[in-house]
Amino acid sequence: MDGTHRPNQPALSQFVLKVHSRCDLACDHCYVYEHADTSWRGRPRAVSEEILAQVANRIAEHARRHQLPMVHVVLHGGEPLLAGPDRIRRAAEELQRALHGVSALDLRMHTNGVLLDEKFCELFLELGIKVGVSLDGDKVSNDRHRRYADGRSSHAKVIRAVELLSRPRYRRLFAGLLCTIDVENDPVAVYDALVELSPPRIDFLLPHATWDTPPPRPGGAATPYADWLDAIYRRWDAAGRPVPVRIFDSVLRTLRGESSLTESLGLAPADLVVIETDGTFEQADSLKTSYDGAPATGMDVFTHSLDDVLQHPGMLARQQGVEQLCDQCRSCPVVQSCGGGLYAHRYRTGNEFDNPSVFCPDLLALVTTIRDREAAVPAPMPTPAELPLEQGDFDALAAGFGGADTVTRLAAAQLEINQDLLAAVSEHIALSDREGAEAWELLTHLDAEVPDELDAVLAHPYTRPWALSVLEGRAAPAGGLAEIAAATVLRARLGQRVTVPLRGGSLRLPGLGSVRLDGGTAHAEVAAGSDGFTVRAGSRRLDIGWHEGLDGPTPHWHPVRLFDGEGWTVAIEDTDPLRDCHKWPVSERLAADEAKLWAEDLTGAWSLIRRELPAYADGVAAGLGLITPLHAPAGTNVSAACKEAWGAIGAARPASPDQLALLIVHEFQHVKLAAVLDAVDLYDQADRNLYYAPWRDDPRPIGGLLQGTYAHIAVTDFWRVRRETAQGAGERGSAEAQFARWRQQTAEAVEELLGSGSLTDLGQHFVGSMGETVRGWRDEPVSGAALSAAVGSAERHRAEWKARVEATR
């Protein structure tokens, strides 16, 4: 392979590293020792130091080639604690060495817990290893399978291990409990016993089985595993879902169209590989239940790369989503959630994995039961009084407007979302991520010391896209946390030093600017002073004044430029490397003359908005704090809003201040509506239908149609006013034609929304108010020519659209 990373190439990000191949228990449902595969007998008991070093190098090589922000490694067995503390330390240190500066490392261990003690816990604290423990419930349930070879119970020792992990000192090591389902056990007793231990997560696992060796179905029950899990689901749901349960959370996520949290459900490509104690690469361990040698790839860490492993037929088959499933699965109504079940559970001699899961009836019953129960008991419909808005606020926004107080309350609700996201990001800091942990600790101090300054940084529009990228596994947390901390320290003029990872040689200071640092250094140290701040990177030191670089070019410091209008301050953000979320190319740093043109056009645009569109001006001033210049072909007007970036819009500077004013009020409508939709559902999120949009040739989903209609209220209002205020008869006539056109199209779109059958009760109220605004303009006179042109154009467009739809049927 040529070593060049290509976008959208498959990659492996999860690795199971076997550090010991034997176990101190004799669980009779174990897929390693009790099922079809016997390869463990010929493998060394413990992994060698040479193999550990090569494994780490291979993972780092793969992570670098595919630009992985984080890799996940599970130390496994057999029983990994049998490897002893020295070998476990060596495994962790080799991985940390190889991945330093390449990817963040999420390092975990899966253990039966019987050997876990304080010495191991202290080691895991030092090395950053989270621990998951296998426990099948109460003593009776656990002892059904998890015993020593001589029949002794393991339950008491496992409980002691869990209690040890629950101590305040070790609690952050605790990753959760894994429970293998046995339908002979009382499901409620199992669940209650596990919940009583207050784990951070519970993972219920179907026992491994195939069509050759099917799972037990006591009394010939059709769906005993679904029934068992449903009993737990009902108890879990009635208790307010007190702990995350991976299988339930995965079903709920896939029903919403999101990704699964487990390989046993959903259609996500396989991204896991196993490395055995002899250095051989294998596919998922669960395949050991299929037939002897099923997981084997014939590859090893010394001869083959992980990209070679990805080309193995078994791995390729699991990269193809729904296409790799059998006909029965592809036609199943719950395939998006079930995903065909665990790959190993599909095996049957003769046609191998071209079958539905042996648990197919159970998976179908489980998914449909959860789906139907969720639909039958909808979430309570919020009322305007329950929103972060007053009744008058909601009504004003529904009409298409919203003043300063209303938009300020929207902004406060958006800040709360960012605060919650930041807390969620902290949960994704791997124990081995010392940079991330240090940044988070500093942020907790800043929250107590200078909370207003921290909130000002968190309110930056690109905080949320960054946080979501971390939560979705597309970025590591340390860099963004340190950037937020550094910007807060500088805003508060605090003297403490903050170490921040660089992005492509640049220091990002959200809301303040960026510092360009060449020379190959990976980090910079930032500290505030009375007249500016200091940046140290390697042997270099830069002293930067607070106002330096605003009016002219500087070789290193690119501050965010601010436009100060009468009653409105907005940042012209051309420095932030995270600003590229508007689906259009962003402009590079503006030259001083181009920045001056932006300021001049903003002066004219803001003057027009304040003078002619006062119903929008106060809301814009209160909520639009940032404009990102976009790059667009000459002569085109381009603007965009990002639903996750409250308070920001993107725009290419148009030909005139008037056009810029139109872009601002248009795009800020999108910003406001996105904030409302964060608080309440206005339409059925499961609606996959497409609807007629009078201004587009292609049909739109319900959310897109709602966004476009809401934005075009402002567009219609703009032209409604401009037909009276434009200079010259020609410009006024053009404005009148535009008003007639957009009034007609927006009214048609409102009717399309109201007739969709997809709006919630609040959605009906919201869109109904939009319609009242437009209807209030229907009686305003326009010339016969303008009216005729608008109506005729609308009729032709709808006829052409219907013809295209018919042609595609």
Side-chain angles (χ1 to χ4, degrees):
M1 304 186 78
D2 63 15
T4 301
H5 172 67
R6 296 178 179 85
N8 301 318
Q9 272 189 307
L12 297 164
S13 62
Q14 301 188 65
F15 306 91
V16 174
L17 174 56
K18 300 295 188 74
V19 293
H20 204 278
S21 66
R22 304 297 190 270
C23 190
D24 44 3
L25 294 183
C27 308
D28 59 16
H29 56 11
C30 179
Y31 58 83
V32 176
Y33 307 109
E34 302 296 334
H35 284 224
D37 187 82
T38 59
S39 59
W40 62 273
R41 299 180 185 277
R43 291 202 168 99
R45 289 180 175 267
V47 65
S48 70
E49 293 186 0
E50 181 185 19
I51 288 174
L52 287 176
Q54 184 63 8
V55 166
N57 291 338
R58 285 299 191 194
I59 292 175
E61 170 189 67
H62 190 73
R64 185 180 294 107
R65 182 171 188 265
H66 292 273
Q67 302 171 23
L68 300 178
M70 179 177 289
V71 297
H72 308 268
V73 180
V74 179
L75 304 180
H76 211 284
E79 171 48 50
L81 292 178
L82 290 173
D86 291 342
R87 202 173 305 269
I88 292 171
R89 174 185 291 280
R90 185 60 180 267
E93 290 179 344
E94 286 290 352
L95 289 164
Q96 291 164 357
R97 168 196 60 78
L99 288 164
H100 180 71
V102 177
S103 297
L105 171 64
D106 175 25
L107 185 58
R108 301 182 179 230
M109 174 180 288
H110 179 196
T111 174
N112 61 36
V114 298
L115 294 178
L116 191 68
D117 58 17
E118 290 188 11
K119 290 183 179 178
F120 272 122
C121 286
E122 288 297 323
L123 178 69
F124 298 158
L125 273 181
E126 177 189 350
L127 298 174
I129 301 176
K130 291 187 176 182
V131 183
V133 178
S134 294
L135 178 65
D136 287 351
D138 58 294
K139 186 176 187 302
V140 172
S141 301
N142 192 72
D143 286 352
R144 191 182 294 274
H145 301 287
R146 295 189 180 279
R147 291 178 173 272
Y148 287 93
D150 59 8
R152 285 179 298 131
S153 169
S154 66
H155 186 261
K157 289 186 176 181
V158 181
I159 294 298
R160 281 198 294 272
V162 174
E163 290 173 345
L164 180 62
L165 288 171
S166 297
R167 292 182 189 176
R169 177 169 177 78
Y170 304 130
R171 178 69 184 180
R172 63 194 183 105
L173 298 175
F174 195 8
L177 298 175
L178 295 92
C179 171
T180 300
I181 297 168
D182 187 327
V183 293
E184 296 284 1
N185 290 330
D186 180 341
V188 173
V190 168
Y191 171 76
D192 287 350
L194 298 179
V195 169
E196 187 177 355
L197 297 170
S198 300
R201 180 182 297 277
I202 300 174
D203 200 357
F204 290 108
L205 308 174
L206 290 167
H208 287 313
T210 68
W211 289 100
D212 291 351
T213 54
R217 296 186 180 277
T223 57
Y225 296 90
D227 299 341
W228 196 91
L229 284 166
D230 185 56
I232 291 177
Y233 184 90
R234 285 184 276 113
R235 193 167 185 86
W236 174 72
D237 191 45
R241 305 180 180 184
V243 58
V245 177
R246 192 186 303 269
I247 192 168
F248 299 152
D249 290 337
S250 291
V251 171
L252 292 167
R253 283 174 58 88
T254 55
L255 287 172
R256 296 192 300 265
E258 301 174 29
S259 61
S260 173
L261 302 172
T262 170
E263 67 169 332
S264 61
L265 293 170
L267 292 168
D271 65 347
L272 177 146
V273 70
V274 177
I275 303 105
E276 291 285 355
T277 55
D278 59 358
T280 55
F281 289 120
E282 290 202 339
Q283 300 175 70
D285 254 6
S286 56
L287 287 169
K288 293 180 185 296
T289 198
S290 303
Y291 59 89
D292 199 7
T297 65
M299 304 182 196
D300 65 77
V301 296
F302 294 102
T303 312
H304 304 90
S305 71
L306 285 161
D307 282 283
D308 293 331
V309 177
L310 273 171
Q311 298 305 307
H312 184 275
M315 297 297 296
L316 289 173
R318 298 167 68 198
Q319 301 291 322
Q320 298 169 10
V322 72
E323 295 304 317
Q324 52 97 14
L325 300 179
C326 67
D327 291 342
Q328 179 180 333
C329 289
R330 287 200 297 270
S331 62
C332 178
V334 301
V335 66
Q336 295 297 324
S337 290
C338 167
L342 192 68
Y343 191 69
H345 294 172
R346 306 173 202 166
Y347 183 76
R348 186 199 301 264
T349 301
N351 63 346
E352 297 190 339
F353 300 98
D354 190 26
N355 306 287
S357 167
V358 72
F359 291 100
C360 176
D362 298 279
L363 293 172
L364 176 62
L366 177 66
V367 173
T368 55
T369 298
I370 292 176
R371 180 197 64 195
D372 294 345
R373 185 175 291 119
E374 291 288 305
V377 186
M381 179 63 67
T383 66
E386 294 173 297
L387 299 175
L389 302 169
E390 298 177 359
Q391 180 71 51
D393 294 334
F394 187 80
D395 290 341
L397 289 164
F401 307 108
D405 291 343
T406 295
V407 173
T408 297
R409 279 185 278 272
L410 281 181
Q414 290 292 297
L415 175 59
E416 287 186 13
I417 291 174
N418 285 1
Q419 291 166 337
D420 291 342
L421 286 172
L422 189 68
V425 164
S426 73
E427 297 295 324
H428 281 61
I429 302 172
L431 288 176
S432 59
D433 185 358
R434 291 185 174 85
E435 288 183 356
E438 289 173 2
W440 177 249
E441 184 176 3
L442 175 55
L443 284 171
T444 60
H445 290 309
L446 293 172
D447 189 33
E449 188 176 352
V450 287
D452 291 343
E453 299 296 345
L454 176 57
D455 284 349
V457 178
L458 288 181
H460 189 268
Y462 301 127
T463 296
R464 185 170 173 184
W466 161 77
L468 291 174
S469 73
V470 174
L471 299 181
E472 293 165 2
R474 294 182 286 110
L481 292 172
E483 290 164 349
I484 293 170
T488 303
V489 164
L490 295 187
R491 284 179 61 94
R493 306 293 201 265
L494 300 179
Q496 62 199 104
R497 296 178 178 178
V498 184
T499 300
V500 185
L502 303 183
R503 296 177 183 267
S506 289
L507 167 65
R508 174 182 179 257
L509 297 170
L512 301 177
S514 65
V515 182
R516 181 69 192 174
L517 296 163
D518 300 314
T521 183
H523 295 78
E525 187 180 77
V526 182
S530 57
D531 298 323
F533 62 99
T534 300
V535 178
R536 291 182 173 87
S539 60
R540 301 179 61 195
R541 168 177 170 149
L542 298 174
D543 293 308
I544 298 170
W546 291 120
H547 302 292
E548 183 180 336
L550 289 173
D551 299 319
T554 58
H556 304 290
W557 171 231
H558 293 159
V560 173
R561 300 181 176 102
L562 297 178
F563 165 77
D564 284 313
E566 185 175 345
W568 182 39
T569 299
V570 63
I572 309 301
E573 177 57 271
D574 58 359
T575 70
D576 195 322
L578 302 185
R579 68 192 187 277
D580 192 7
C581 68
H582 296 285
K583 298 183 181 178
W584 279 92
V586 297
S587 293
E588 297 300 322
R589 174 69 168 175
L590 299 179
D593 56 348
E594 177 64 13
K596 184 178 179 181
L597 291 174
W598 265 99
E600 292 173 353
D601 284 357
L602 279 169
T603 299
W606 180 234
S607 176
L608 185 152
I609 293 171
R610 289 181 64 246
R611 184 179 66 251
E612 300 183 9
L613 299 166
Y616 302 91
D618 289 347
V620 168
L624 182 56
L626 184 152
I627 298 175
T628 288
L630 303 179
H631 176 74
T636 59
N637 288 338
V638 168
S639 62
C642 172
K643 65 180 181 179
E644 288 88 17
W646 163 262
I649 66 170
R653 188 173 64 83
S656 71
D658 292 2
Q659 290 176 331
L660 181 57
L662 174 58
L663 295 182
I664 288 170
V665 295
H666 171 199
E667 295 302 339
F668 193 59
Q669 292 288 95
H670 288 300
V671 174
K672 290 187 297 184
L673 182 56
V676 172
L677 290 170
D678 278 336
V680 63
D681 286 336
L682 297 180
Y683 57 88
D684 180 3
Q685 300 292 322
D687 183 0
R688 298 293 181 264
N689 294 318
L690 297 176
Y691 297 90
Y692 173 65
W695 50 85
R696 294 182 64 123
D697 291 335
D698 57 326
R700 301 293 291 152
I702 188 73
L705 179 60
L706 176 61
Q707 282 281 357
T709 309
Y710 193 70
H712 289 138
I713 287 178
V715 173
T716 305
D717 207 4
F718 176 88
W719 292 114
R720 184 180 73 89
V721 175
R722 291 300 288 163
R723 68 197 172 120
E724 303 293 340
T725 61
Q727 299 297 313
E731 290 188 11
R732 288 195 296 272
S734 176
E736 181 179 57
Q738 291 282 10
F739 168 59
R741 170 198 172 196
W742 288 111
R743 182 180 65 179
Q744 179 74 27
Q745 293 184 348
T746 307
E748 288 187 15
V750 166
E751 293 306 313
E752 185 83 359
L753 287 166
L754 291 173
S756 69
S758 188
L759 299 179
T760 64
D761 290 345
L762 276 182
Q764 287 282 348
H765 174 71
F766 195 91
V767 176
S769 295
M770 292 163 55
E772 289 177 11
T773 297
V774 179
R775 280 193 297 274
W777 298 331
R778 291 302 293 266
D779 294 332
E780 296 191 12
V782 296
S783 69
L787 181 61
S788 177
V791 173
S793 175
E795 290 176 348
R796 288 191 299 274
H797 186 271
R798 183 177 284 274
E800 292 168 358
W801 182 83
K802 285 183 177 180
R804 282 193 298 272
V805 170
E806 290 297 329
T808 60
R809 289 179 178 173

